[in-house]
Amino acid sequence: MPLNIIIGAQWGDEGKGRYTDLLAAEADVVARFSGGDNAGHTVTVKDEIFKLHLIPSGIIHDRAICLIGNGVVLNPAVLLREMDALAARGVDVSPAHLKISYNAHLITPAHIALDKASETQLGQGAIGTTQRGIGPAYTDKVAREGLRAGLFAAPEELAEALHQHIRAKNEVLQKIYNAPTLDETAVSAEYAAYAQRLAPHLVDGSVLLDDYLRDGRSVLAEGAQGTFLDIDHGTYPFVTSSSPTAGGALTGLGVGPKMVDRVIGVTKAFTSRVGSGPFPCQLGGEQAMRLRGTGSNPWDEYGTTTGRPRRVGWLDLVMLRHAARINSLTELALTKMDILSGLAEVPVCVAYEHRGQRLDHFPTSLESLSACTPIYETLPGWQEDISGARAWADLPQNAQAYIEFIAEAVRTPVSYASVGPGRAQFLQVAAG
Ligand code: IMP
């Protein structure tokens, strides 16, 4: 009864979608467990590219049921937009195929307004959030003031809860941020319409998953964001407000640890980050352009949700060791190996130098991290075009050596490597 978990091993945007897609083909349930529409994954449906933010990407496999788990914060307007776009392409988004946990929390227009107001007020010190209301929705959850999706099944309670919620948030918007307020009647009417459409999708997610797992069927937990955006284990406060790590998968779905089989940490063959916060391996100038791309391809390094250019740098093995420990990774899955083709040499960060001392562990304080500089080891590059490689033996020796070096340094086997954006452009690895 396997629960397999896909986790971002870096700062999000690792390309988790392609491995979710691969493993979803064999899964009976695909479930999102944390975050909200701050995530972005690109899926191809009948030759058309879709950018999904909320719906698990397993939706395009008719076989798997998709679940939005209790750990998610859900913007119903975004969800319905995605459902309509998929339905127009013939994808089944009926309640039989797409389920929402009663205990998922709702994002409201007040959360979005507060996210924007807070970022504006922080000015230079802004987190660089996606401004989707994620932080304020989780804040309300922890403050025990949140609105849960279960309210969709109780229209009167929903209306009353929304009135109170908008009234309270308007006070904050007005008095603390001097920002425009919201019309509580309009928001209530909007949410009443969402409730009608979404109530049939509600389930007890934990019971559903338990039934499947006891039946010997397989569940894939689809991670969003990444380990270094985790509220506890990331680069706080430049993090998201949830736990996108393996522990978060369990609480975010209502499943216990005995059920877990594989924990797959997805990492790019280099490093990227959007938003603010320290990034020891960050590159500038030509080298950054080389890794980022120009933006002319959908897979270049520009945010799926915000379109912002990503900050990029060489692969950081200190980070990957941290991710392997926090998540008990059973394996790594690499993406974008092809981007490194053509380089004479490929530097990888093996440790940090911190005030004259070598650090092998990711520091706990942001202040220390900001004072770290990378210690690189330089590996020989490969000149061959590897985009056609479909097996380990198709890779040039130096590309194989690069992957083997990672597996050894992180003490975690590498299972897969991707060599291009296409669905088939990956290979199974036997390194580590
Ligand atoms: P929030 O999740 O919108 O509150 O944003 C907090 C931080 O997490 C910001 O630095 C965002 O850029 C970052 N972030 C949130 N979601 C993603 C994602 O899916 N990929 C990459 N970065 C993300």
Side-chain angles (χ1 to χ4, degrees), residues 37 64 83 101 127 144 191 200 205 217 245 267 281 284 296 315 355:
D37 61 306
M83 285 168 65
S101 170
I127 306 290
R144 295 165 291 191
Y191 274 64
R217 290 189 281 172
T245 39
T267 172
C281 291
S296 54
L315 187 64
R355 301 198 172 106

Side-chain angles (χ1 to χ4, degrees), residues 11-13 38-40 115 127-131 134-135 225 229 239-240 274-276 308:
W11 274 296
D13 305 322
N38 48 351
D115 198 355
I127 306 290
T129 74
T130 58
Q131 307 207 353
I134 307 295
Q225 289 83 47
L229 291 173
V239 292
T240 192
V274 287
S276 318
R308 291 178 288 184

Side-chain angles (χ1 to χ4, degrees), residues 284-301:
E286 294 263 307
Q287 283 184 310
M289 274 308 284
R290 171 69 180 69
L291 293 178
R292 184 185 297 124
T294 57
S296 54
N297 294 312
W299 52 90
D300 284 349
E301 296 294 335

Side-chain angles (χ1 to χ4, degrees), residues 66-420:
C66 286
L67 172 70
I68 296 179
N70 59 275
V72 170
V73 284
L74 164 70
N75 180 333
V78 174
L79 177 60
L80 285 165
R81 233 182 1 251
E82 290 188 356
M83 285 168 65
D84 291 344
L86 289 168
R89 297 283 162 267
V91 177
D92 178 8
V93 289
S94 70
H97 197 207
L98 176 64
K99 319 251 181 211
I100 303 167
S101 170
Y102 278 101
N103 291 354
H105 276 247
L106 299 181
I107 293 178
T108 70
H111 291 137
I112 296 167
L114 285 169
D115 198 355
K116 289 181 177 162
S118 149
E119 285 285 275
T120 307
Q121 195 179 63
L122 285 168
Q124 288 290 324
I127 306 290
T129 74
T130 58
Q131 307 207 353
R132 303 294 168 113
I134 307 295
Y138 279 117
T139 302
D140 276 357
K141 172 178 176 173
V142 174
R144 295 165 291 191
E145 291 172 358
L147 283 75
R148 304 207 282 191
L151 286 171
F152 286 153
E156 281 174 21
E157 277 176 52
L158 173 66
E160 178 50 32
L162 272 169
H163 274 290
Q164 278 189 28
H165 167 80
I166 300 291
R167 234 175 282 145
K169 300 305 177 201
N170 274 347
E171 293 250 322
V172 180
L173 283 167
Q174 197 171 34
K175 293 184 181 154
I176 309 283
Y177 294 111
N178 197 21
T181 56
L182 295 152
D183 176 343
E184 53 187 84
T185 311
V187 175
S188 278
E190 197 188 323
Y191 274 64
Y194 299 150
Q196 253 189 349
R197 285 192 62 192
L198 293 174
H201 295 261
L202 293 171
V203 291
D204 182 330
S206 173
V207 170
L208 177 118
L209 294 179
D210 191 54
D211 285 347
Y212 269 82
L213 289 167
R214 280 179 193 279
D215 218 24
R217 290 189 281 172
S218 90
V219 175
L220 181 64
E222 173 178 347
Q225 289 83 47
T227 301
F228 291 83
L229 291 173
D230 185 278
I231 188 80
D232 285 287
H233 304 292
T235 47
Y236 190 90
F238 297 101
V239 292
T240 192
S241 301
S242 66
S243 302
T245 39
L250 303 182
T251 51
L253 293 176
V255 178
K258 277 202 302 197
M259 302 291 179
V260 179
D261 185 16
R262 300 167 72 185
V263 185
I264 301 150
V266 181
T267 172
K268 276 180 189 154
F270 51 95
T271 311
S272 75
R273 150 163 235 188
V274 287
S276 318
F279 178 174
C281 291
Q282 183 171 2
L283 296 170
E286 294 263 307
Q287 283 184 310
M289 274 308 284
R290 171 69 180 69
L291 293 178
R292 184 185 297 124
T294 57
S296 54
N297 294 312
W299 52 90
D300 284 349
E301 296 294 335
Y302 294 79
T304 312
T305 299
T306 59
R308 291 178 288 184
R310 295 181 187 138
R311 302 155 67 196
V312 290
W314 301 120
L315 187 64
D316 186 335
L317 297 174
V318 185
M319 286 177 64
L320 291 189
R321 283 196 293 268
H322 182 81
R325 188 180 68 255
I326 296 294
N327 296 296
S328 286
L329 295 181
T330 59
E331 61 215 270
L332 286 165
L334 289 178
T335 58
K336 292 203 152 187
M337 273 292 286
D338 53 306
I339 300 296
L340 300 182
S341 296
L343 293 167
E345 295 180 321
V346 192
V348 279
C349 168
V350 293
Y352 297 147
E353 185 181 315
H354 180 259
R355 301 198 172 106
Q357 294 216 315
R358 182 186 165 106
L359 274 193
D360 290 303
H361 293 298
F362 197 75
T364 49
S365 94
L366 207 63
E367 197 208 351
S368 303
L369 183 64
S370 306
C372 284
T373 50
I375 299 174
Y376 288 118
E377 219 164 284
T378 302
L379 305 186
W382 57 93
Q383 304 312 308
E384 298 86 340
D385 174 3
I386 59 171
S387 60
R390 297 292 176 271
W392 179 242
D394 298 339
L395 286 180
Q397 215 178 358
N398 286 350
Q400 291 182 347
Y402 185 74
I403 295 174
E404 279 165 348
F405 187 88
I406 295 167
E408 198 172 314
V410 185
R411 286 183 289 178
T412 305
V414 177
S415 300
Y416 309 100
S418 80
V419 291

